[in-house]
Amino acid sequence: MGVDDRRGSVVGGTVATPEEVAARLKDERKVLIAVHENPDGDALGSLSALGQVFDDLGCSWKGYVPGRAPLPSEYLFLPGLDRVARGELPPSPGTLYTLDCASVERFGPEGLQSRFCVNIDHHPDNPHFGDVNLVDPTASSTTQVLYDVFRAGGFPITKAIGTALYVGIVTDTGRFQYSNTTAAAHRMAADLQDMGVDVHDVYRRVYESTPVSKMMLKIRAFETMRFLLDGALAVAVLRVQDFEDTAAQESHTEGIIDGIRTVAGIRVAALFREKLVGGASEFRVSLRSTDGSVDVSEVAHIWGGGGHVRAAGYTIRADVEEAVAALKKEIETRL
Ligand code: 5GP
Ligand code: MN
């Protein structure tokens, strides 16, 4: 199968069980672990947890996060993130493990470059682009999928590994409050706490360490909030100027959408972030469906993005008002 054939729709490499992936981990000697651009707590928690397990198994590894924007500071306490390469996909003779990547495009425009790829994820629209795929859409986070793998392999889960797994699940479930919060997610959290994870310490590090720039950017975003379609659609926009004025980075936008969606009556929340690419405006858009009645992944797919029914994203190159109007039109037909 050619690399390009693995882009796009479901193409179906081998589907593996947690046991099969665990057996594979034991055989690895050198690997590259990649997560998606603008990584969140689940992506970085997954990378850290798998990296630590590879250390324990005597496998040499390197991490990779596409792009050059600084990693979100609240996750830098996780072990191994200092071994993450940035920019171009680095050369590596070993297996490529992609974590929390819903599609090949999510971890870089260069694609897989003919590497042997093990794809571990929980996004329902993941097209199984790997040679080996462990994609569990019932898992609340990719760290939950990894937790299954580690248990299947009988790998010791140290406090530090458990902490990385916990960061993934606490952030992807919105602190155990989003609709993807299953009983299994709570059980995993309870197990990890039994194994020594200090949940209050994680809370302090992840949620009470907001940089001032991030707070100022959030205020800017809230000031731009617009309520469209009789209040069913809320939109906030961050321009390049807002990032400059507050000295904020793209990673500082994480969590803003969670504030937007809290207003009564909203069914879809959207956050637009402007980026200048070759002098032209481009917008990264995050979408959230509050009650699940509008499938936002379907909307994101229109512009080549993706995600889940209740959380999705895409990139659009357009004037901001055109981009907002186009979104409004798509939401309107789905209300
Ligand atoms: P966020 O708004 O937090 O960036 O993304 C929300 C969800 O949508 C995440 O699960 C993320 O993986 C997915 N997502 C965001 N942007 C894209 C995109 O451009 N392509 C795809 N396939 N998924 C995306
Ligand atoms: Mn995730």
Side-chain angles (χ1 to χ4, degrees):
M1 177 166 57
V3 170
D4 286 338
D5 298 339
R6 287 188 265 175
R7 289 167 175 264
S9 58
V10 173
V11 285
T14 307
V15 173
T17 62
E19 288 74 16
E20 288 162 345
V21 173
R24 194 170 272 285
L25 296 190
K26 289 178 190 165
D27 288 341
E28 296 288 8
R29 289 292 160 267
K30 199 167 196 174
V31 302
L32 182 66
I33 309 173
V35 300
H36 56 80
E37 191 167 12
N38 302 320
D40 54 13
D42 189 29
L44 295 176
S46 294
L47 196 160
S48 170
L50 185 59
Q52 292 181 74
V53 165
F54 275 132
D55 279 339
D56 292 345
L57 292 170
C59 166
S60 95
W61 69 276
K62 200 175 188 180
Y64 170 61
V65 178
R68 297 184 193 275
L71 299 179
S73 57
E74 57 267 49
Y75 303 123
L76 293 181
F77 73 99
L78 293 171
L81 298 190
D82 50 341
R83 285 153 71 177
V84 166
R86 308 300 314 277
E88 310 283 294
L89 191 63
S92 158
T95 308
L96 171 67
Y97 281 78
T98 63
L99 306 178
D100 204 41
C101 291
S103 66
V104 173
E105 289 77 10
R106 288 287 278 159
F107 74 91
E110 303 100 340
L112 298 173
Q113 298 181 358
S114 308
R115 292 156 200 252
F116 190 87
C117 171
V118 177
N119 165 23
I120 301 175
D121 186 28
H122 69 128
H123 292 96
D125 59 345
N126 187 304
H128 289 192
F129 55 80
D131 297 282
V132 172
N133 302 276
L134 174 56
V135 179
D136 180 1
T138 71
S140 307
S141 65
T142 297
T143 61
Q144 191 180 341
V145 185
L146 286 174
Y147 181 57
D148 290 342
V149 171
F150 298 167
R151 281 187 305 170
F155 306 142
I157 298 177
T158 60
K159 179 180 176 181
I161 293 171
T163 300
L165 294 173
Y166 184 78
V167 165
I169 200 148
V170 77
T171 55
D172 256 25
T173 57
R175 312 188 210 177
F176 304 100
Q177 287 170 346
Y178 294 156
S179 65
N180 67 346
T181 310
T182 58
H186 280 293
R187 276 187 210 106
M188 168 175 157
D191 289 350
L192 295 176
Q193 197 166 10
D194 278 343
M195 291 172 198
V197 172
D198 184 339
V199 301
H200 185 66
D201 182 60
V202 171
Y203 164 74
R204 292 270 306 142
R205 289 176 183 276
V206 174
Y207 294 106
E208 286 189 352
S209 61
T210 306
V212 171
S213 290
K214 183 172 177 174
M215 179 56 82
M216 301 317 285
L217 189 73
K218 191 179 202 167
I219 291 168
R220 289 267 176 133
F222 286 174
E223 279 172 352
T224 72
M225 264 175 88
R226 283 191 259 176
F227 301 94
L228 308 170
L229 302 173
D230 294 326
L233 172 64
V235 174
V237 179
L238 285 169
R239 308 300 299 257
V240 167
Q241 193 65 48
D242 296 311
F243 287 89
E244 284 175 4
D245 291 348
T246 58
Q249 302 136 13
E250 167 67 22
S251 73
H252 291 152
T253 62
E254 194 187 357
I256 291 178
I257 191 98
D258 299 317
I260 298 172
R261 62 185 289 172
T262 59
V263 178
I266 292 177
R267 287 167 66 188
V268 175
L271 175 65
F272 287 69
R273 288 97 75 190
E274 184 182 32
K275 239 173 142 177
L276 289 182
V277 182
S281 271
E282 194 174 280
F283 289 88
R284 275 286 311 150
V285 186
S286 284
L287 297 179
R288 299 292 184 269
S289 166
T290 54
D291 60 7
S293 61
V294 175
D295 180 347
V296 290
S297 81
E298 199 184 290
V299 177
H301 275 291
I302 296 168
W303 290 286
H308 314 262
V309 172
R310 291 170 185 258
Y314 62 95
T315 300
I316 182 167
R317 186 170 281 206
D319 165 78
V320 65
E321 290 310 323
E322 281 169 28
V324 171
L327 174 67
K328 183 181 160 197
K329 194 164 148 245
E330 291 301 334
I331 301 301
E332 191 168 18
T333 62
R334 289 171 171 81
L335 290 177

